[in-house]
Amino acid sequence: MQSVESNTQLWIEEIHKGVLGQRFRVRDTLFSGRSEFQTVDVVDTYGHGRMLFIDGLVMLSERDEHVYHEMIAHVPLFSHPKPRHVLVIGGGDGGTIREVVRHPYVESATLVEIDEMVVDVSRKYLKSTSCSLDDPRVTVRIEDGLAFVKHCKQKFDVVIVDSTDPIGPAAPLFGLDFYRDVKSVLAENGIVVSQGESPYYEPDWQIALAKLLAQVFPDVFFYNYHNMTYPGGLWSFSYASTGSHPLRDFKKERWHALNLETKYYDPEMHRAAFALPRAQKKALSAFINITNDDQ
Amino acid sequence: MQSVESNTQLWIEEIHKGVLGQRFRVRDTLFSGRSEFQTVDVVDTYGHGRMLFIDGLVMLSERDEHVYHEMIAHVPLFSHPKPRHVLVIGGGDGGTIREVVRHPYVESATLVEIDEMVVDVSRKYLKSTSCSLDDPRVTVRIEDGLAFVKHCKQKFDVVIVDSTDPIGPAAPLFGLDFYRDVKSVLAENGIVVSQGESPYYEPDWQIALAKLLAQVFPDVFFYNYHNMTYPGGLWSFSYASTGSHPLRDFKKERWHALNLETKYYDPEMHRAAFALPRAQKKALSAFINITNDDQ
């Protein structure tokens, strides 16, 4: 991440793989720190609201974070027969928890974030995402998600791995041992959804993730969402389950009963998100379930 | 568009609305000119292949142009009962024509491009998109598309408006008179598909386009595609028709018979593209057909 100043304009920039730069015009720098694990920056921008950067990478903008958080939360929650206990690993900004607790039958939502600075900074500067961290059903634990699932005795219906890229502290979250432990904390019909990188820029990471999920879970899917502030715009989540199919088990009646005021997600988008670009489908086909025969 | 040089690195940058910069690392500048209408630049980049810029805006990169061109061409061509005569307005790089002539029952494909420089430069530097401009079924006309449809006596099954943004020479292509003339050159069950801007950055332009299409055509739809090198990554096409429904009339058998080697488009993506983000659906709902009741 570099700050570029010229003619009184301040910009914050993410350089992707040395070939693409995405920069956002900054109104004000609200926080800039370095925790034990990573750098954390919050800026207020022209056009994209407040933005969170970790290690120089865009984590969210207020303008479009609803897409990421609606899609990482509602797809598994509406695919599970009755999600009562939800675990979020990472996601210290609180956006995923905010969407999870909109489901009234969720009895407990546990956030395990390794970096307290992310939670503290989000509580202070990103109230639109952190607003539900004090919900009485929510427990915030500052600890390593890897160790948490290894030693946890509780079972969860849905586990959401809301992590940064597989470098730095998040790297082990893209590992086989981690997902074996995740499976051990999943209850019957359990679902684990994970941040799955970009099909354009990181096809090899997607293949590696799909391959290791397929070694642990009987059913693996990928689904896509658009993030205007992530490089390339099209990004993916992985979906692995011990029994809940994301399309056949979608709970349409529950969606209609809840009447959520979403801005991106709805049942049509839920289904459409599993329609992968043909090249991505081919790249992952050895490891994932294909949702449609019309290829 | 600015060229930024530092430490021997050359970058080409599109600044969007003064709040977002997208820049690409340049290996070599192949062409830089100014026609009667606009500036035209072709650069070879690291990571995105050759790229075409018009008036400083990304038109295409070799890395992802297949998404745009497959989606602008195959969605209408596979929705029409028998597309024999196709008109492309704009699209001087030839990418849309390349996809159109992959349909063997197309007897004529007419390209009407206002700016000869775009065609000439594409023939010379962008052979991967211009490769079918010499197909015997293709006629390239260097003239104003607006005047062409006003005076044309021929009828077309599919019209594709492959234009730049609605500023400069392309502005009148976003007008009511133009679409009335387009309707007059459409044969029975005719379809017109147009470049429809970004739902995130240009919702007002999308509403204006949907509104004017609804004044001319009985059925109007929007569908989306991902473009990694366009600002925000999620962009739209409009689809208006005098009788061919994009989902109900989709010709699945023809898709299977042709066996096209697409990289993005397939029947599942054809359908999924019409699933709009809920906010976009609401913004356009007064003017477009909604493809699904599950909202």
Side-chain angles (χ1 to χ4, degrees):
Chain A
M1 193 186 57
Q2 305 163 17
S3 292
V4 183
E5 200 160 0
S6 66
N7 299 324
T8 76
Q9 288 193 357
L10 184 68
W11 293 74
I12 190 166
E13 178 163 28
E14 174 179 342
I15 300 279
H16 193 67
K17 291 178 163 278
V19 302
L20 169 71
Q22 282 208 144
R23 57 186 190 136
F24 302 89
R25 194 173 161 208
V26 173
R27 190 192 300 273
D28 197 9
T29 302
L30 302 174
F31 180 85
S32 199
R34 178 182 292 275
S35 74
E36 179 186 346
F37 304 102
Q38 50 206 356
T39 63
V40 178
D41 296 89
V42 181
V43 296
D44 191 18
T45 69
Y46 293 93
H48 297 86
R50 294 185 175 192
M51 296 182 70
L52 171 66
F53 289 74
I54 289 184
D55 279 344
L57 304 176
V58 177
M59 290 296 110
L60 64 83
S61 89
E62 287 184 324
R63 174 99 177 251
D64 72 339
E65 56 82 12
H66 64 276
V67 179
Y68 179 97
H69 292 126
E70 289 180 9
M71 292 299 281
I72 202 173
H74 298 311
V75 168
L77 266 74
F78 280 116
S79 301
H80 189 277
K82 193 169 185 189
R84 290 181 300 168
H85 302 288
V86 178
L87 170 65
V88 178
I89 294 173
D93 56 72
T96 300
I97 285 286
R98 179 194 66 204
E99 297 302 316
V100 166
V101 299
R102 297 173 76 185
H103 294 251
Y105 38 80
V106 166
E107 296 169 18
S108 80
T110 305
L111 179 76
V112 179
E113 165 64 56
I114 199 170
D115 193 346
E116 187 160 27
M117 185 182 281
V118 176
V119 177
D120 290 347
V121 159
S122 300
R123 281 188 191 273
K124 187 160 181 187
Y125 299 107
L126 299 167
K127 293 189 192 300
S128 58
T129 57
S130 62
C131 53
S132 297
L133 290 178
D134 293 324
D135 185 287
R137 295 169 290 165
V138 174
T139 305
V140 178
R141 303 178 67 121
I142 304 300
E143 58 182 281
D144 182 2
L146 214 70
F148 179 84
V149 292
K150 191 178 288 300
H151 304 296
C152 179
K153 300 297 175 214
Q154 197 190 334
K155 295 282 186 185
F156 299 94
D157 301 304
V158 173
V159 174
I160 298 175
V161 185
D162 182 3
S163 72
T164 55
D165 293 337
I167 44 177
L173 298 180
F174 283 69
L176 192 57
D177 288 345
F178 170 66
Y179 279 105
R180 286 192 173 127
D181 291 334
V182 166
K183 191 181 182 191
S184 75
V185 303
L186 278 178
E188 200 181 352
N189 297 314
I191 301 166
V192 54
V193 162
S194 307
Q195 192 280 100
E197 299 295 316
S198 154
Y200 292 130
Y201 286 115
E202 303 298 352
D204 291 341
W205 273 351
Q206 291 207 331
I207 292 169
L209 179 59
K211 189 173 178 178
L212 74 86
L213 285 169
Q215 291 178 258
V216 180
F217 294 93
D219 291 306
V220 179
F221 300 83
F222 267 63
Y223 64 101
N224 288 342
Y225 65 100
H226 325 105
N227 193 307
M228 70 196 290
T229 55
Y230 284 4
L234 182 69
W235 281 59
S236 307
F237 295 117
S238 63
Y239 176 113
S241 147
T242 58
S244 296
H245 189 285
L247 303 184
R248 288 198 302 267
D249 295 325
F250 170 68
K251 297 293 175 291
K252 188 172 171 177
E253 303 69 27
R254 207 198 292 155
W255 161 261
H256 285 295
L258 283 189
N259 200 23
L260 296 184
E261 282 294 326
T262 52
K263 289 185 278 185
Y264 183 88
Y265 176 91
D266 71 4
E268 195 182 5
M269 186 59 78
H270 179 120
R271 173 172 294 276
F274 288 86
L276 308 181
R278 206 177 187 206
Q280 183 187 13
K281 202 182 293 188
K282 280 190 181 170
L284 300 177
S285 60
F287 310 109
I288 67 170
N289 299 44
I290 297 299
T291 53
N292 195 296
D293 292 334
D294 281 340
Q295 298 153 48
Chain B
M1 192 188 58
Q2 304 162 16
S3 290
V4 182
E5 201 160 359
S6 68
N7 298 328
T8 76
Q9 289 193 355
L10 183 70
W11 293 73
I12 189 165
E13 178 162 28
E14 173 179 345
I15 299 280
H16 193 68
K17 292 178 165 279
V19 301
L20 170 71
Q22 283 207 145
R23 58 186 189 133
F24 302 89
R25 191 170 164 211
V26 172
R27 189 192 301 271
D28 196 11
T29 302
L30 301 175
F31 180 85
S32 197
R34 179 182 291 276
S35 74
E36 180 185 348
F37 304 100
Q38 52 206 356
T39 62
V40 179
D41 296 88
V42 181
V43 295
D44 192 16
T45 69
Y46 292 93
H48 297 86
R50 294 185 175 192
M51 295 182 70
L52 171 67
F53 288 74
I54 288 184
D55 279 344
L57 304 176
V58 177
M59 289 297 110
L60 65 83
S61 88
E62 287 183 324
R63 174 100 178 250
D64 71 339
E65 56 83 13
H66 64 277
V67 178
Y68 179 98
H69 292 125
E70 289 180 9
M71 291 299 281
I72 201 172
H74 298 310
V75 168
L77 267 72
F78 280 115
S79 300
H80 189 278
K82 193 170 185 188
R84 289 181 302 170
H85 302 287
V86 178
L87 170 64
V88 178
I89 294 173
D93 56 71
T96 300
I97 285 287
R98 178 193 67 204
E99 296 301 316
V100 166
V101 298
R102 296 173 77 185
H103 294 251
Y105 39 80
V106 167
E107 296 169 17
S108 80
T110 305
L111 179 76
V112 179
E113 164 64 56
I114 199 170
D115 193 345
E116 188 161 26
M117 185 181 281
V118 176
V119 177
D120 289 347
V121 161
S122 299
R123 281 188 189 274
K124 186 161 181 187
Y125 298 106
L126 298 167
K127 293 190 192 300
S128 58
T129 58
S130 62
C131 52
S132 297
L133 289 178
D134 293 323
D135 184 287
R137 296 169 290 166
V138 174
T139 305
V140 178
R141 303 178 67 121
I142 303 301
E143 60 183 281
D144 182 2
L146 215 70
F148 180 83
V149 293
K150 192 179 286 302
H151 303 297
C152 179
K153 301 296 176 217
Q154 197 191 335
K155 296 283 186 186
F156 298 93
D157 301 304
V158 173
V159 175
I160 297 175
V161 185
D162 182 4
S163 72
T164 55
D165 293 338
I167 46 177
L173 298 181
F174 283 69
L176 192 57
D177 289 345
F178 169 66
Y179 279 104
R180 286 191 173 126
D181 291 334
V182 166
K183 191 180 181 188
S184 76
V185 303
L186 278 178
E188 199 180 354
N189 298 314
I191 301 166
V192 54
V193 162
S194 306
Q195 192 278 102
E197 298 296 319
S198 154
Y200 292 130
Y201 286 116
E202 304 297 352
D204 292 342
W205 273 351
Q206 292 207 331
I207 292 169
L209 178 59
K211 190 174 177 178
L212 73 86
L213 286 169
Q215 291 177 259
V216 181
F217 293 93
D219 291 306
V220 180
F221 301 83
F222 267 62
Y223 65 101
N224 289 342
Y225 65 101
H226 325 106
N227 193 307
M228 69 195 290
T229 55
Y230 284 5
L234 182 69
W235 281 59
S236 307
F237 295 117
S238 64
Y239 176 113
S241 145
T242 60
S244 296
H245 190 285
L247 303 185
R248 289 198 300 266
D249 295 326
F250 170 67
K251 298 294 176 290
K252 187 172 169 177
E253 302 69 26
R254 208 198 291 153
W255 162 261
H256 285 295
L258 283 189
N259 199 22
L260 296 183
E261 281 295 326
T262 53
K263 287 185 279 185
Y264 184 88
Y265 176 91
D266 71 6
E268 194 182 7
M269 186 59 77
H270 180 120
R271 173 172 293 275
F274 288 86
L276 309 181
R278 207 176 186 205
Q280 183 188 14
K281 203 182 289 186
K282 280 189 181 171
L284 300 176
S285 60
F287 310 110
I288 66 169
N289 300 42
I290 298 299
T291 51
N292 194 296
D293 293 332
D294 281 340
Q295 297 154 52

